[in-house]
Amino acid sequence: MHQRGIPCRLIQSNDGFSLYDLAELRMFLKLTENGEMQPVISDAQWESAIIGLKEYYSKSECLALCLDLLAQFASVNEKKYRSDLETFIRESNLSDLCHPTKKEVTVSTMHKAKGHEFDCVYMLLNRIDSSILENKRMLYVAMTRARSELYIHYNNGLFEDSGYPVSRDMTLYPEPDEMILQLTHRDVVLDFIKNKKNLILKFQSGEPLYLNGCYLCVKNNSKNPPVVKLSAKAREKLEKLNQKGYQVTAAKIRFIVAWRSTEISDTNEYALVLPELHLHRHSPDLQ
């Protein structure tokens, strides 16, 4: 859509981690302590922490989302109890922070669209099996997102007996030239970052990464130390895409989050980079 000049936004998710683990929000909570932890955050502490967050994470792509979340809490909590704030952050999701406008197209999975409404909705369904109860629920959620208009593009007999005039879209569309992969905890080797907390916390969401074999590296002075090791699952996924002609052309830090090992003897908390990979497909005649 961006290539065609169409303004759009993607509803993001924080699958696999709580917003309480986000580096920016952890910094904000630390700034509100101001040397001592009181049950109520004063207005002066709150404003000072907001200023400090903006200064420290001025380049973070997550800053606007965090400020939006904090503004929502402040708007309904005249007295800001620390415990209430922490609970609010833990129970919030990134998808809650999406505020669609009529000036841009919102792109989303059916799951992430829950809780939102749009004047016009286009659904793209690829051979979905409506006999599965969970799929029926998902379809209901997606279809009821539309206030006025709903257009469904599908390629099986899903709506043949609906009583409405329908036509299948059996067009074989070409694969996209570009692709973005947002990696999760399952796509990285978690133990790899256990000695890298101080290094990782020097960086911010949106900063570039460099692919070097199975590692993603940051540029730090004259060195490019690795901060992510791709899991076997992620490497297999990239290899399959590579066979289709896709190559990683760019990468960046999507989130920096706190992570704890499941080992009972390990009580430490580590900093983990969740990256985003940009891939471009090269035409066979150009290879």
Side-chain angles (χ1 to χ4, degrees), residues 2-35:
H2 285 307
Q3 290 180 345
R4 295 175 179 268
I6 301 173
C8 63
R9 76 163 65 189
L10 174 70
I11 294 183
Q12 297 191 67
S13 70
N14 51 298
D15 296 337
F17 71 93
S18 165
L19 288 184
Y20 180 77
D21 295 329
L22 203 61
E24 290 83 352
L25 292 175
R26 284 294 186 89
M27 170 61 74
F28 178 80
L29 291 171
K30 184 177 180 180
L31 290 172
T32 60
E33 295 174 12
N34 195 24

PDB file of all heavy atoms in Angstrom, residues 2-35:
ATOM      1  N   HIS A   2       1.949   1.222   0.790  1.00  0.00           N
ATOM      2  CA  HIS A   2       2.837   2.384   0.805  1.00  0.00           C
ATOM      3  C   HIS A   2       3.420   2.630  -0.580  1.00  0.00           C
ATOM      4  O   HIS A   2       3.592   3.785  -0.998  1.00  0.00           O
ATOM      5  CB  HIS A   2       3.969   2.159   1.812  1.00  0.00           C
ATOM      6  CG  HIS A   2       3.541   2.302   3.238  1.00  0.00           C
ATOM      7  ND1 HIS A   2       2.893   3.416   3.715  1.00  0.00           N
ATOM      8  CD2 HIS A   2       3.671   1.474   4.306  1.00  0.00           C
ATOM      9  CE1 HIS A   2       2.636   3.277   5.006  1.00  0.00           C
ATOM     10  NE2 HIS A   2       3.098   2.095   5.386  1.00  0.00           N
ATOM     11  N   GLN A   3       3.730   1.547  -1.316  1.00  0.00           N
ATOM     12  CA  GLN A   3       4.275   1.694  -2.654  1.00  0.00           C
ATOM     13  C   GLN A   3       3.283   2.369  -3.597  1.00  0.00           C
ATOM     14  O   GLN A   3       3.682   3.055  -4.536  1.00  0.00           O
ATOM     15  CB  GLN A   3       4.667   0.327  -3.213  1.00  0.00           C
ATOM     16  CG  GLN A   3       5.883  -0.287  -2.533  1.00  0.00           C
ATOM     17  CD  GLN A   3       6.232  -1.643  -3.112  1.00  0.00           C
ATOM     18  OE1 GLN A   3       5.427  -2.257  -3.816  1.00  0.00           O
ATOM     19  NE2 GLN A   3       7.418  -2.119  -2.820  1.00  0.00           N
ATOM     20  N   ARG A   4       1.993   2.158  -3.332  1.00  0.00           N
ATOM     21  CA  ARG A   4       0.953   2.767  -4.162  1.00  0.00           C
ATOM     22  C   ARG A   4       0.503   4.118  -3.617  1.00  0.00           C
ATOM     23  O   ARG A   4      -0.467   4.708  -4.108  1.00  0.00           O
ATOM     24  CB  ARG A   4      -0.246   1.826  -4.269  1.00  0.00           C
ATOM     25  CG  ARG A   4       0.070   0.530  -5.006  1.00  0.00           C
ATOM     26  CD  ARG A   4      -1.124  -0.409  -4.984  1.00  0.00           C
ATOM     27  NE  ARG A   4      -0.833  -1.631  -5.711  1.00  0.00           N
ATOM     28  CZ  ARG A   4      -1.087  -1.824  -7.000  1.00  0.00           C
ATOM     29  NH1 ARG A   4      -1.636  -0.848  -7.700  1.00  0.00           N
ATOM     30  NH2 ARG A   4      -0.805  -2.962  -7.586  1.00  0.00           N
ATOM     31  N   GLY A   5       1.170   4.595  -2.581  1.00  0.00           N
ATOM     32  CA  GLY A   5       0.836   5.901  -2.025  1.00  0.00           C
ATOM     33  C   GLY A   5      -0.408   5.908  -1.167  1.00  0.00           C
ATOM     34  O   GLY A   5      -1.035   6.966  -0.967  1.00  0.00           O
ATOM     35  N   ILE A   6      -0.791   4.723  -0.633  1.00  0.00           N
ATOM     36  CA  ILE A   6      -1.988   4.631   0.200  1.00  0.00           C
ATOM     37  C   ILE A   6      -1.567   4.657   1.670  1.00  0.00           C
ATOM     38  O   ILE A   6      -0.864   3.754   2.128  1.00  0.00           O
ATOM     39  CB  ILE A   6      -2.755   3.323  -0.088  1.00  0.00           C
ATOM     40  CG1 ILE A   6      -3.169   3.269  -1.557  1.00  0.00           C
ATOM     41  CG2 ILE A   6      -3.984   3.216   0.810  1.00  0.00           C
ATOM     42  CD1 ILE A   6      -3.791   1.947  -1.967  1.00  0.00           C
ATOM     43  N   PRO A   7      -1.978   5.664   2.432  1.00  0.00           N
ATOM     44  CA  PRO A   7      -1.634   5.706   3.867  1.00  0.00           C
ATOM     45  C   PRO A   7      -2.232   4.509   4.591  1.00  0.00           C
ATOM     46  O   PRO A   7      -3.419   4.198   4.416  1.00  0.00           O
ATOM     47  CB  PRO A   7      -2.259   7.025   4.346  1.00  0.00           C
ATOM     48  CG  PRO A   7      -2.521   7.821   3.107  1.00  0.00           C
ATOM     49  CD  PRO A   7      -2.794   6.822   2.030  1.00  0.00           C
ATOM     50  N   CYS A   8      -1.441   3.808   5.378  1.00  0.00           N
ATOM     51  CA  CYS A   8      -1.961   2.646   6.085  1.00  0.00           C
ATOM     52  C   CYS A   8      -1.184   2.426   7.372  1.00  0.00           C
ATOM     53  O   CYS A   8      -0.090   2.957   7.549  1.00  0.00           O
ATOM     54  CB  CYS A   8      -1.880   1.392   5.203  1.00  0.00           C
ATOM     55  SG  CYS A   8      -0.202   0.919   4.746  1.00  0.00           S
ATOM     56  N   ARG A   9      -1.784   1.645   8.254  1.00  0.00           N
ATOM     57  CA  ARG A   9      -1.119   1.274   9.496  1.00  0.00           C
ATOM     58  C   ARG A   9      -1.475  -0.164   9.836  1.00  0.00           C
ATOM     59  O   ARG A   9      -2.550  -0.651   9.497  1.00  0.00           O
ATOM     60  CB  ARG A   9      -1.493   2.198  10.653  1.00  0.00           C
ATOM     61  CG  ARG A   9      -2.861   1.949  11.225  1.00  0.00           C
ATOM     62  CD  ARG A   9      -2.995   2.583  12.592  1.00  0.00           C
ATOM     63  NE  ARG A   9      -2.914   4.029  12.543  1.00  0.00           N
ATOM     64  CZ  ARG A   9      -2.827   4.788  13.639  1.00  0.00           C
ATOM     65  NH1 ARG A   9      -2.808   4.214  14.838  1.00  0.00           N
ATOM     66  NH2 ARG A   9      -2.797   6.094  13.559  1.00  0.00           N
ATOM     67  N   LEU A  10      -0.543  -0.829  10.493  1.00  0.00           N
ATOM     68  CA  LEU A  10      -0.732  -2.214  10.901  1.00  0.00           C
ATOM     69  C   LEU A  10      -1.054  -2.256  12.387  1.00  0.00           C
ATOM     70  O   LEU A  10      -0.379  -1.618  13.190  1.00  0.00           O
ATOM     71  CB  LEU A  10       0.541  -3.019  10.621  1.00  0.00           C
ATOM     72  CG  LEU A  10       0.578  -4.464  11.125  1.00  0.00           C
ATOM     73  CD1 LEU A  10      -0.393  -5.319  10.309  1.00  0.00           C
ATOM     74  CD2 LEU A  10       1.993  -5.023  11.040  1.00  0.00           C
ATOM     75  N   ILE A  11      -2.117  -2.990  12.749  1.00  0.00           N
ATOM     76  CA  ILE A  11      -2.417  -3.195  14.162  1.00  0.00           C
ATOM     77  C   ILE A  11      -1.387  -4.168  14.712  1.00  0.00           C
ATOM     78  O   ILE A  11      -1.326  -5.323  14.292  1.00  0.00           O
ATOM     79  CB  ILE A  11      -3.838  -3.744  14.379  1.00  0.00           C
ATOM     80  CG1 ILE A  11      -4.878  -2.703  13.952  1.00  0.00           C
ATOM     81  CG2 ILE A  11      -4.047  -4.108  15.842  1.00  0.00           C
ATOM     82  CD1 ILE A  11      -6.311  -3.127  14.207  1.00  0.00           C
ATOM     83  N   GLN A  12      -0.553  -3.693  15.617  1.00  0.00           N
ATOM     84  CA  GLN A  12       0.508  -4.521  16.162  1.00  0.00           C
ATOM     85  C   GLN A  12       0.002  -5.336  17.355  1.00  0.00           C
ATOM     86  O   GLN A  12      -1.046  -5.055  17.930  1.00  0.00           O
ATOM     87  CB  GLN A  12       1.682  -3.644  16.626  1.00  0.00           C
ATOM     88  CG  GLN A  12       2.347  -2.861  15.518  1.00  0.00           C
ATOM     89  CD  GLN A  12       3.632  -2.256  15.995  1.00  0.00           C
ATOM     90  OE1 GLN A  12       4.599  -2.949  16.292  1.00  0.00           O
ATOM     91  NE2 GLN A  12       3.658  -0.940  16.079  1.00  0.00           N
ATOM     92  N   SER A  13       0.774  -6.352  17.719  1.00  0.00           N
ATOM     93  CA  SER A  13       0.435  -7.152  18.886  1.00  0.00           C
ATOM     94  C   SER A  13       1.692  -7.379  19.711  1.00  0.00           C
ATOM     95  O   SER A  13       2.803  -7.258  19.217  1.00  0.00           O
ATOM     96  CB  SER A  13      -0.159  -8.501  18.473  1.00  0.00           C
ATOM     97  OG  SER A  13       0.832  -9.329  17.897  1.00  0.00           O
ATOM     98  N   ASN A  14       1.482  -7.694  20.984  1.00  0.00           N
ATOM     99  CA  ASN A  14       2.602  -8.035  21.865  1.00  0.00           C
ATOM    100  C   ASN A  14       2.487  -9.497  22.271  1.00  0.00           C
ATOM    101  O   ASN A  14       2.590  -9.851  23.442  1.00  0.00           O
ATOM    102  CB  ASN A  14       2.627  -7.124  23.095  1.00  0.00           C
ATOM    103  CG  ASN A  14       1.306  -7.050  23.820  1.00  0.00           C
ATOM    104  OD1 ASN A  14       0.316  -6.598  23.250  1.00  0.00           O
ATOM    105  ND2 ASN A  14       1.277  -7.486  25.079  1.00  0.00           N
ATOM    106  N   ASP A  15       2.254 -10.349  21.265  1.00  0.00           N
ATOM    107  CA  ASP A  15       2.145 -11.781  21.518  1.00  0.00           C
ATOM    108  C   ASP A  15       3.421 -12.296  22.162  1.00  0.00           C
ATOM    109  O   ASP A  15       4.524 -12.062  21.679  1.00  0.00           O
ATOM    110  CB  ASP A  15       1.896 -12.546  20.210  1.00  0.00           C
ATOM    111  CG  ASP A  15       0.564 -12.189  19.574  1.00  0.00           C
ATOM    112  OD1 ASP A  15      -0.321 -11.729  20.322  1.00  0.00           O
ATOM    113  OD2 ASP A  15       0.411 -12.370  18.357  1.00  0.00           O
ATOM    114  N   GLY A  16       3.272 -13.037  23.257  1.00  0.00           N
ATOM    115  CA  GLY A  16       4.427 -13.671  23.884  1.00  0.00           C
ATOM    116  C   GLY A  16       5.039 -12.889  25.022  1.00  0.00           C
ATOM    117  O   GLY A  16       5.910 -13.401  25.721  1.00  0.00           O
ATOM    118  N   PHE A  17       4.621 -11.628  25.222  1.00  0.00           N
ATOM    119  CA  PHE A  17       5.159 -10.865  26.347  1.00  0.00           C
ATOM    120  C   PHE A  17       4.152  -9.820  26.805  1.00  0.00           C
ATOM    121  O   PHE A  17       3.254  -9.421  26.064  1.00  0.00           O
ATOM    122  CB  PHE A  17       6.489 -10.199  25.979  1.00  0.00           C
ATOM    123  CG  PHE A  17       6.363  -9.049  24.999  1.00  0.00           C
ATOM    124  CD1 PHE A  17       6.229  -7.741  25.433  1.00  0.00           C
ATOM    125  CD2 PHE A  17       6.394  -9.287  23.633  1.00  0.00           C
ATOM    126  CE1 PHE A  17       6.121  -6.687  24.548  1.00  0.00           C
ATOM    127  CE2 PHE A  17       6.291  -8.242  22.734  1.00  0.00           C
ATOM    128  CZ  PHE A  17       6.152  -6.940  23.183  1.00  0.00           C
ATOM    129  N   SER A  18       4.298  -9.410  28.043  1.00  0.00           N
ATOM    130  CA  SER A  18       3.435  -8.381  28.611  1.00  0.00           C
ATOM    131  C   SER A  18       4.039  -7.000  28.347  1.00  0.00           C
ATOM    132  O   SER A  18       5.263  -6.849  28.318  1.00  0.00           O
ATOM    133  CB  SER A  18       3.302  -8.602  30.126  1.00  0.00           C
ATOM    134  OG  SER A  18       2.766  -7.455  30.762  1.00  0.00           O
ATOM    135  N   LEU A  19       3.189  -6.009  28.178  1.00  0.00           N
ATOM    136  CA  LEU A  19       3.699  -4.646  28.003  1.00  0.00           C
ATOM    137  C   LEU A  19       4.485  -4.186  29.227  1.00  0.00           C
ATOM    138  O   LEU A  19       5.314  -3.281  29.135  1.00  0.00           O
ATOM    139  CB  LEU A  19       2.546  -3.673  27.719  1.00  0.00           C
ATOM    140  CG  LEU A  19       1.890  -3.776  26.336  1.00  0.00           C
ATOM    141  CD1 LEU A  19       0.847  -2.689  26.172  1.00  0.00           C
ATOM    142  CD2 LEU A  19       2.924  -3.688  25.224  1.00  0.00           C
ATOM    143  N   TYR A  20       4.231  -4.825  30.359  1.00  0.00           N
ATOM    144  CA  TYR A  20       4.995  -4.507  31.565  1.00  0.00           C
ATOM    145  C   TYR A  20       6.477  -4.815  31.364  1.00  0.00           C
ATOM    146  O   TYR A  20       7.328  -4.253  32.053  1.00  0.00           O
ATOM    147  CB  TYR A  20       4.444  -5.307  32.743  1.00  0.00           C
ATOM    148  CG  TYR A  20       5.148  -5.059  34.055  1.00  0.00           C
ATOM    149  CD1 TYR A  20       4.891  -3.906  34.799  1.00  0.00           C
ATOM    150  CD2 TYR A  20       6.080  -5.967  34.546  1.00  0.00           C
ATOM    151  CE1 TYR A  20       5.542  -3.668  35.999  1.00  0.00           C
ATOM    152  CE2 TYR A  20       6.734  -5.741  35.747  1.00  0.00           C
ATOM    153  CZ  TYR A  20       6.467  -4.590  36.469  1.00  0.00           C
ATOM    154  OH  TYR A  20       7.116  -4.359  37.659  1.00  0.00           O
ATOM    155  N   ASP A  21       6.806  -5.696  30.426  1.00  0.00           N
ATOM    156  CA  ASP A  21       8.194  -6.067  30.174  1.00  0.00           C
ATOM    157  C   ASP A  21       8.886  -5.157  29.171  1.00  0.00           C
ATOM    158  O   ASP A  21      10.087  -5.301  28.922  1.00  0.00           O
ATOM    159  CB  ASP A  21       8.265  -7.517  29.656  1.00  0.00           C
ATOM    160  CG  ASP A  21       7.815  -8.518  30.693  1.00  0.00           C
ATOM    161  OD1 ASP A  21       8.017  -8.250  31.891  1.00  0.00           O
ATOM    162  OD2 ASP A  21       7.255  -9.557  30.320  1.00  0.00           O
ATOM    163  N   LEU A  22       8.155  -4.250  28.565  1.00  0.00           N
ATOM    164  CA  LEU A  22       8.728  -3.358  27.570  1.00  0.00           C
ATOM    165  C   LEU A  22       9.736  -2.409  28.217  1.00  0.00           C
ATOM    166  O   LEU A  22       9.463  -1.806  29.247  1.00  0.00           O
ATOM    167  CB  LEU A  22       7.609  -2.560  26.901  1.00  0.00           C
ATOM    168  CG  LEU A  22       7.866  -1.977  25.513  1.00  0.00           C
ATOM    169  CD1 LEU A  22       8.156  -3.075  24.504  1.00  0.00           C
ATOM    170  CD2 LEU A  22       6.649  -1.159  25.069  1.00  0.00           C
ATOM    171  N   ALA A  23      10.904  -2.273  27.595  1.00  0.00           N
ATOM    172  CA  ALA A  23      11.993  -1.489  28.185  1.00  0.00           C
ATOM    173  C   ALA A  23      11.568  -0.058  28.489  1.00  0.00           C
ATOM    174  O   ALA A  23      11.922   0.499  29.534  1.00  0.00           O
ATOM    175  CB  ALA A  23      13.203  -1.498  27.248  1.00  0.00           C
ATOM    176  N   GLU A  24      10.802   0.550  27.584  1.00  0.00           N
ATOM    177  CA  GLU A  24      10.389   1.937  27.780  1.00  0.00           C
ATOM    178  C   GLU A  24       9.503   2.100  29.006  1.00  0.00           C
ATOM    179  O   GLU A  24       9.648   3.061  29.775  1.00  0.00           O
ATOM    180  CB  GLU A  24       9.654   2.439  26.528  1.00  0.00           C
ATOM    181  CG  GLU A  24      10.527   2.637  25.304  1.00  0.00           C
ATOM    182  CD  GLU A  24      10.769   1.351  24.519  1.00  0.00           C
ATOM    183  OE1 GLU A  24      10.386   0.256  25.008  1.00  0.00           O
ATOM    184  OE2 GLU A  24      11.336   1.434  23.429  1.00  0.00           O
ATOM    185  N   LEU A  25       8.585   1.166  29.201  1.00  0.00           N
ATOM    186  CA  LEU A  25       7.677   1.266  30.344  1.00  0.00           C
ATOM    187  C   LEU A  25       8.377   0.910  31.648  1.00  0.00           C
ATOM    188  O   LEU A  25       8.064   1.479  32.705  1.00  0.00           O
ATOM    189  CB  LEU A  25       6.459   0.380  30.117  1.00  0.00           C
ATOM    190  CG  LEU A  25       5.533   0.868  28.986  1.00  0.00           C
ATOM    191  CD1 LEU A  25       4.412  -0.129  28.726  1.00  0.00           C
ATOM    192  CD2 LEU A  25       4.948   2.245  29.325  1.00  0.00           C
ATOM    193  N   ARG A  26       9.339  -0.003  31.587  1.00  0.00           N
ATOM    194  CA  ARG A  26      10.132  -0.283  32.781  1.00  0.00           C
ATOM    195  C   ARG A  26      10.919   0.969  33.192  1.00  0.00           C
ATOM    196  O   ARG A  26      11.040   1.285  34.382  1.00  0.00           O
ATOM    197  CB  ARG A  26      11.095  -1.436  32.501  1.00  0.00           C
ATOM    198  CG  ARG A  26      10.432  -2.802  32.479  1.00  0.00           C
ATOM    199  CD  ARG A  26       9.905  -3.179  33.876  1.00  0.00           C
ATOM    200  NE  ARG A  26       9.399  -4.536  33.897  1.00  0.00           N
ATOM    201  CZ  ARG A  26      10.135  -5.599  34.157  1.00  0.00           C
ATOM    202  NH1 ARG A  26      11.422  -5.466  34.425  1.00  0.00           N
ATOM    203  NH2 ARG A  26       9.597  -6.801  34.155  1.00  0.00           N
ATOM    204  N   MET A  27      11.446   1.689  32.213  1.00  0.00           N
ATOM    205  CA  MET A  27      12.177   2.923  32.502  1.00  0.00           C
ATOM    206  C   MET A  27      11.256   3.949  33.143  1.00  0.00           C
ATOM    207  O   MET A  27      11.617   4.621  34.111  1.00  0.00           O
ATOM    208  CB  MET A  27      12.789   3.480  31.220  1.00  0.00           C
ATOM    209  CG  MET A  27      13.371   4.885  31.343  1.00  0.00           C
ATOM    210  SD  MET A  27      14.725   4.981  32.544  1.00  0.00           S
ATOM    211  CE  MET A  27      16.036   4.165  31.611  1.00  0.00           C
ATOM    212  N   PHE A  28      10.034   4.079  32.614  1.00  0.00           N
ATOM    213  CA  PHE A  28       9.089   5.044  33.169  1.00  0.00           C
ATOM    214  C   PHE A  28       8.786   4.724  34.628  1.00  0.00           C
ATOM    215  O   PHE A  28       8.795   5.623  35.488  1.00  0.00           O
ATOM    216  CB  PHE A  28       7.798   5.060  32.356  1.00  0.00           C
ATOM    217  CG  PHE A  28       6.764   6.006  32.901  1.00  0.00           C
ATOM    218  CD1 PHE A  28       6.840   7.360  32.633  1.00  0.00           C
ATOM    219  CD2 PHE A  28       5.734   5.550  33.715  1.00  0.00           C
ATOM    220  CE1 PHE A  28       5.900   8.252  33.149  1.00  0.00           C
ATOM    221  CE2 PHE A  28       4.792   6.418  34.242  1.00  0.00           C
ATOM    222  CZ  PHE A  28       4.883   7.770  33.957  1.00  0.00           C
ATOM    223  N   LEU A  29       8.522   3.458  34.930  1.00  0.00           N
ATOM    224  CA  LEU A  29       8.218   3.067  36.305  1.00  0.00           C
ATOM    225  C   LEU A  29       9.392   3.371  37.229  1.00  0.00           C
ATOM    226  O   LEU A  29       9.208   3.820  38.367  1.00  0.00           O
ATOM    227  CB  LEU A  29       7.869   1.581  36.360  1.00  0.00           C
ATOM    228  CG  LEU A  29       6.538   1.194  35.706  1.00  0.00           C
ATOM    229  CD1 LEU A  29       6.404  -0.321  35.619  1.00  0.00           C
ATOM    230  CD2 LEU A  29       5.364   1.786  36.477  1.00  0.00           C
ATOM    231  N   LYS A  30      10.587   3.152  36.734  1.00  0.00           N
ATOM    232  CA  LYS A  30      11.782   3.441  37.534  1.00  0.00           C
ATOM    233  C   LYS A  30      11.905   4.945  37.795  1.00  0.00           C
ATOM    234  O   LYS A  30      12.241   5.377  38.906  1.00  0.00           O
ATOM    235  CB  LYS A  30      13.025   2.927  36.813  1.00  0.00           C
ATOM    236  CG  LYS A  30      14.305   3.093  37.598  1.00  0.00           C
ATOM    237  CD  LYS A  30      15.489   2.482  36.835  1.00  0.00           C
ATOM    238  CE  LYS A  30      16.791   2.650  37.621  1.00  0.00           C
ATOM    239  NZ  LYS A  30      17.947   2.058  36.883  1.00  0.00           N
ATOM    240  N   LEU A  31      11.602   5.748  36.778  1.00  0.00           N
ATOM    241  CA  LEU A  31      11.703   7.205  36.918  1.00  0.00           C
ATOM    242  C   LEU A  31      10.674   7.750  37.908  1.00  0.00           C
ATOM    243  O   LEU A  31      10.905   8.775  38.558  1.00  0.00           O
ATOM    244  CB  LEU A  31      11.520   7.878  35.552  1.00  0.00           C
ATOM    245  CG  LEU A  31      12.657   7.673  34.541  1.00  0.00           C
ATOM    246  CD1 LEU A  31      12.255   8.219  33.174  1.00  0.00           C
ATOM    247  CD2 LEU A  31      13.937   8.356  35.024  1.00  0.00           C
ATOM    248  N   THR A  32       9.516   7.091  38.026  1.00  0.00           N
ATOM    249  CA  THR A  32       8.484   7.577  38.954  1.00  0.00           C
ATOM    250  C   THR A  32       8.871   7.352  40.412  1.00  0.00           C
ATOM    251  O   THR A  32       8.292   7.973  41.306  1.00  0.00           O
ATOM    252  CB  THR A  32       7.128   6.879  38.707  1.00  0.00           C
ATOM    253  OG1 THR A  32       7.284   5.464  38.893  1.00  0.00           O
ATOM    254  CG2 THR A  32       6.604   7.176  37.320  1.00  0.00           C
ATOM    255  N   GLU A  33       9.847   6.462  40.657  1.00  0.00           N
ATOM    256  CA  GLU A  33      10.257   6.193  42.046  1.00  0.00           C
ATOM    257  C   GLU A  33      10.989   7.391  42.645  1.00  0.00           C
ATOM    258  O   GLU A  33      10.829   7.708  43.821  1.00  0.00           O
ATOM    259  CB  GLU A  33      11.146   4.952  42.088  1.00  0.00           C
ATOM    260  CG  GLU A  33      10.418   3.675  41.688  1.00  0.00           C
ATOM    261  CD  GLU A  33      11.353   2.492  41.610  1.00  0.00           C
ATOM    262  OE1 GLU A  33      12.507   2.617  42.094  1.00  0.00           O
ATOM    263  OE2 GLU A  33      10.962   1.443  41.064  1.00  0.00           O
ATOM    264  N   ASN A  34      11.821   8.022  41.838  1.00  0.00           N
ATOM    265  CA  ASN A  34      12.530   9.231  42.274  1.00  0.00           C
ATOM    266  C   ASN A  34      13.247   9.018  43.611  1.00  0.00           C
ATOM    267  O   ASN A  34      13.157   9.829  44.542  1.00  0.00           O
ATOM    268  CB  ASN A  34      11.551  10.408  42.369  1.00  0.00           C
ATOM    269  CG  ASN A  34      12.267  11.747  42.447  1.00  0.00           C
ATOM    270  OD1 ASN A  34      13.415  11.875  42.010  1.00  0.00           O
ATOM    271  ND2 ASN A  34      11.596  12.749  43.000  1.00  0.00           N
ATOM    272  N   GLY A  35      13.951   7.888  43.714  1.00  0.00           N
ATOM    273  CA  GLY A  35      14.723   7.615  44.924  1.00  0.00           C
ATOM    274  C   GLY A  35      13.985   6.811  45.969  1.00  0.00           C
ATOM    275  O   GLY A  35      14.593   6.184  46.819  1.00  0.00           O
TER     276      GLY A  35
END
